[in-house]
Amino acid sequence: MRKPRDFDAELKALEEKARELKTRKVQQLGELVIATGADQLSTDELAGALVAIAETKDTSKREAWAKRGVMFFQSRSRRAAPASQRNPRSAQTQSGSLQSPAGGTGSA
């Protein structure tokens, strides 16, 4: 005979997982604010900028911001990479293929 599911325990586990994910997201957002230097802005300035960005429907602006974000993460990953991996041309010559210097999507 099959053991009955404990829906309360499953729900509690899902709620805990959701709390952990939210905590990690908040921490990563704080780290991003600090890494970009936006922590030097007042709370009102930062909130206003984020509201403006969130309300922007202009796709060309959003694409430009996304490209700038990619460049930000790529420059950070290059600084963290060993000297032998910092020159993308030498990596192409050695491997024969083009690789992204970021090694990922750059999302937080």
Side-chain angles (χ1 to χ4, degrees):
M1 184 167 245
R2 185 186 291 183
K3 183 178 178 181
R5 289 176 61 179
D6 186 351
F7 291 108
D8 290 335
E10 289 179 30
L11 181 60
K12 197 174 204 175
L14 287 173
E15 289 171 347
E16 178 61 28
K17 181 71 173 177
R19 271 193 300 276
E20 289 172 9
L21 290 172
K22 184 176 180 181
T23 299
R24 187 171 68 200
K25 187 175 185 178
V26 168
Q27 180 179 356
Q28 289 173 336
L29 183 57
E31 291 171 356
L32 182 61
V33 168
I34 292 167
T36 61
D39 60 325
Q40 302 300 313
L41 301 172
S42 72
T43 305
D44 292 337
E45 289 172 318
L46 183 56
L50 290 172
V51 168
I53 290 169
E55 291 175 346
T56 299
K57 303 295 184 225
D58 183 345
T59 55
S60 63
K61 281 185 181 181
R62 295 178 73 98
E63 288 172 3
W65 291 329
K67 286 179 184 175
R68 192 164 180 183
V70 167
M71 289 174 23
F72 172 78
F73 285 112
Q74 286 178 344
S75 69
R76 288 181 56 84
S77 68
R78 277 191 210 117
R79 279 184 261 143
S84 64
Q85 294 180 355
R86 287 187 190 149
N87 185 347
R89 288 189 188 269
S90 66
Q92 286 178 13
T93 307
Q94 292 172 357
S95 68
S97 65
L98 180 63
Q99 294 178 347
S100 170
T105 61
S107 51

